[in-house]
């Protein structure tokens, strides 16, 4: 569970994971504006009729579904690193929500591809270690860039 294995998934399990990922992605995209408003200004969201009490648990359930499904393939450690480090780096660089989402996604994809390429180039290096090292390095670079900019 800590490290996961993509080879442990059966073809049916992989299809189920893809369906769950697509469903959660569609759900979060459909509710992105109320979710953003509830996150930034809960009082204003309540005044506009957004079900504020349901948004938080709903988003948590969506995150739990994706986490539970992807832990089998990538492991809890890699998943935590790919959620936290790119988001923290993006948060250090921008306060704009959609720019932060795009930047965090780009940092996560770059860490994934960079880590896989590094693990391919250095056969003794496990891919998960390389991916987390690049994600943590990107977080550090983003923190330094934000500090320098201030």
């Amino acid at each position: 569970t800590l490290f996961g294995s993509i080879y442990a998934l059966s073809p049916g399990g992989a299809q189920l994971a893809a369906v769950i990922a697509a469903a959660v992605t569609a759900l979060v995209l459909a509710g992105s504006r109320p979710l953003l408003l509830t996150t930034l200004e809960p009082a204003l969201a309540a005044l506009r009729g957004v079900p504020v009490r349901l948004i938080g648990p709903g988003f948590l359930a969506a995150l739990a579904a994706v986490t539970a499904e992807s832990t089998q393939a990538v492991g809890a450690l890699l998943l935590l690193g790919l959620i936290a480090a790119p988001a923290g780096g993006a948060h250090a660089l921008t306060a704009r929500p959609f720019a932060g989402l795009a930047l965090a996604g780009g940092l996560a994809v770059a860490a994934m591809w960079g880590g896989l390429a590094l693990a391919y180039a250095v056969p003794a290096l496990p891919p998960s270690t390389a991916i987390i090292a690049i994600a943590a390095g990107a977080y550090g670079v983003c923190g330094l860039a934000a500090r320098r900019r201030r």
Side-chain angles (χ1 to χ4, degrees), residues 3-139:
F3 301 104
S5 175
I6 193 72
Y7 300 115
L9 287 178
S10 66
Q15 289 175 343
L16 178 63
V19 167
I20 289 173
V24 169
T25 300
L27 182 71
V28 170
L29 284 175
S32 64
R33 293 192 58 85
L35 177 61
L36 180 63
L37 182 60
T38 301
T39 302
L40 298 177
E41 286 292 335
L44 179 61
L47 286 174
R48 290 196 174 183
V50 175
V52 175
R53 290 188 177 265
L54 297 177
I55 294 282
F59 182 69
L60 186 61
L63 182 63
V66 169
T67 302
E69 197 56 46
S70 62
T71 299
Q72 299 172 40
V74 297
L77 294 176
L78 181 59
L79 183 63
L80 177 64
L82 282 176
I83 289 174
H91 180 68
L93 291 179
T94 183
R96 295 178 20 222
F98 292 114
L101 284 170
L103 184 57
L107 288 172
V109 169
M112 205 55 184
W113 280 104
L116 291 174
L118 186 60
Y120 180 77
V122 182
L125 182 64
S128 58
T129 303
I131 292 166
I132 291 301
I134 290 176
Y139 172 73

